[in-house]
């Protein structure tokens, strides 16, 4: 193969030219990934690699989506979810079991996550497609716009142009894809992808403040019996959440600060309200 034939559209070679590890005669070829949704308008959907689903045909009649998301969180799962209802689509990227970026036809981020939940609750069919952790990290920065490309030695993210897309991890090319943008741009990946929080319209409980009752304040006091029983039942995680509510953080703010999944806090908050530890307002 000539030098020209081994070039991608922007001058990046398809072959990894680093010295091979001991015992290997030649380097491995960089994989070219097939897009799962060729020509999709939302950027995230456009660059998702083809991946056979581990779960498919899920619908609201026999699968609670919040329970499924909790299951993925417990498994520290990597991949993406796709919901289809008639001609409406929504996708959510999952990193370590946490929804970190999402896209629907006209929205991205938290609003698109809300759109996926809405479509599912209206009868949409959901499938879950696994990805290698490296690919999931590369895609975690794909949002509503591409930025001017600036390849640094440790760049992690997606670079796209009219001739195709390149997946970078730590400055190295790990994959290419025949999916393009009409211009050159990049989607840098965050060092640690942050969990999406549902918008207020879908999770109003998560965006309001709560007041600790006398019983709730006693649960934070290490010398009380209530504290000992609370700690035994809910552990340090429950104490941290209750203390955050006492400090007037909303559940959404606490989830963002602690990089926690909001759906893990909802049943805990319900328990706090039910047992009289906190009240609304």
């Amino acid at each position: 193969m000539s030098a020209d034939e081994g070039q991608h559209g922007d001058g990046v070679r398809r072959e990894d030219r680093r010295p091979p590890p001991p015992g290997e005669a030649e380097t491995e070829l960089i994989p070219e990934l097939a897009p799962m949704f060729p020509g999709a308008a939302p950027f995230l959907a456009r660059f998702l690699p083809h991946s056979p689903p581990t779960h498919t045909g899920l619908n609201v009649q026999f699968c609670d989506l919040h329970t499924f998301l909790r299951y993925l969180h417990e498994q520290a799962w990597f991949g993406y979810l796709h919901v289809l209802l008639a001609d409406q689509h929504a996708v959510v990227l999952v990193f370590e079991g946490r929804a970190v970026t999402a896209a629907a036809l006209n929205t991205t981020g938290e609003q698109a996550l809300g759109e996926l939940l809405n479509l599912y609750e209206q009868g949409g069919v959901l499938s879950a497609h696994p990805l290698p952790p490296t690919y999931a990290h590369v895609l975690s920065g794909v949002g509503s716009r591409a930025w001017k490309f600036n390849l640094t030695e440790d760049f992690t993210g997606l670079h796209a142009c009219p001739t195709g897309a390149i997946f970078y991890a730590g400055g190295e090319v790990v994959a290419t894809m025949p999916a393009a943008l009409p211009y050159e741009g990049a989607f840098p990946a965050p060092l640690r992808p942050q969990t999406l929080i549902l918008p207020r319209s879908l999770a109003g409980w998560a965006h309001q403040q709560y007041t600790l009752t006398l019983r709730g304040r006693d649960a934070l006091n290490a010398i009380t019996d209530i504290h000992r029983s609370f700690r035994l039942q809910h552990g340090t995680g429950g104490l941290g959440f209750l203390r955050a509510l006492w400090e007037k953080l909303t559940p959404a703010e606490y989830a963002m600060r602690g990089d926690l999944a909001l759906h893990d806090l909802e049943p805990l908050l319900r328990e706090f309200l039910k047992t009289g530890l906190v009240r609304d307002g």
Side-chain angles (χ1 to χ4, degrees):
M1 180 170 64
S2 70
D4 289 340
E5 290 171 330
Q7 298 282 332
H8 195 265
D10 62 354
V12 178
R13 291 186 181 278
R14 289 191 185 278
E15 293 185 347
D16 184 346
R17 295 299 185 185
R18 290 175 298 166
E24 290 188 14
E26 58 184 36
T27 57
E28 295 181 357
L29 292 176
I30 294 172
E32 182 173 83
L33 308 175
M36 187 70 181
F37 307 104
F43 290 151
L44 177 61
R46 183 181 308 185
F47 297 112
L48 288 173
H50 183 272
S51 171
T54 53
H55 303 79
T56 189
L58 303 184
N59 64 61
V60 72
Q61 293 180 337
F62 65 88
C63 180
D64 177 74
L65 186 54
H66 292 284
T67 301
F68 184 60
L69 289 171
R70 192 171 298 115
Y71 166 78
L72 296 180
H73 187 255
E74 292 169 354
Q75 301 296 315
W77 189 80
F78 295 86
Y80 58 90
L81 307 180
H82 173 239
V83 168
L84 171 64
L85 178 63
D87 59 348
Q88 300 180 77
H89 299 253
V91 291
V92 172
L93 186 75
V94 179
F95 183 90
E96 293 180 345
R98 300 176 293 112
V100 296
T101 187
L105 182 59
N106 297 311
T107 60
T108 59
E110 288 89 351
Q111 295 297 328
L113 175 59
E115 180 67 13
L116 181 137
L117 290 171
N118 278 332
L119 291 177
Y120 187 76
E121 291 172 356
Q122 292 170 24
V125 177
L126 180 141
S127 55
H129 306 259
L131 289 177
T134 298
Y135 293 172
H137 190 195
V138 168
L139 291 163
S140 65
V142 179
S144 59
R145 59 172 294 187
W147 301 85
K148 182 179 178 181
F149 184 57
N150 182 23
L151 178 59
T152 58
E153 291 184 355
D154 60 350
F155 177 77
T156 296
L158 183 81
H159 168 242
C161 63
T163 57
I166 303 173
F167 287 52
Y168 284 96
E172 299 290 335
V173 178
V174 295
T176 63
M177 178 183 285
L181 289 178
Y183 50 85
E184 183 180 20
F187 301 91
L191 185 62
R192 175 164 174 77
Q194 197 169 48
T195 304
L196 291 178
I197 301 298
L198 284 172
R200 182 181 295 273
S201 60
L202 290 175
W205 63 268
H207 297 273
Q208 68 184 62
Q209 293 181 337
Y210 297 84
T211 300
L212 265 64
T213 63
L214 178 60
R215 177 180 175 82
R217 294 195 295 272
D218 283 345
L220 293 179
N221 189 338
I223 66 173
T224 65
D225 291 337
I226 291 177
H227 172 83
R228 286 187 283 272
S229 61
F230 180 92
R231 187 183 183 93
L232 185 64
Q233 181 179 1
H234 298 294
T236 57
L239 278 170
F241 184 32
L242 187 63
R243 186 172 292 108
L245 297 179
W246 178 64
E247 294 171 352
K248 290 302 181 181
L249 290 179
T250 67
E253 290 169 338
Y254 178 66
M256 290 290 286
R257 291 189 183 188
D259 199 19
L260 303 171
L262 195 59
H263 53 70
D264 286 341
L265 298 180
E266 186 175 12
L268 196 55
L269 178 63
R270 286 201 193 115
E271 180 70 15
F272 290 175
L273 290 165
K274 181 180 178 181
T275 56
L277 294 168
V278 304
R279 64 174 185 268
D280 293 340

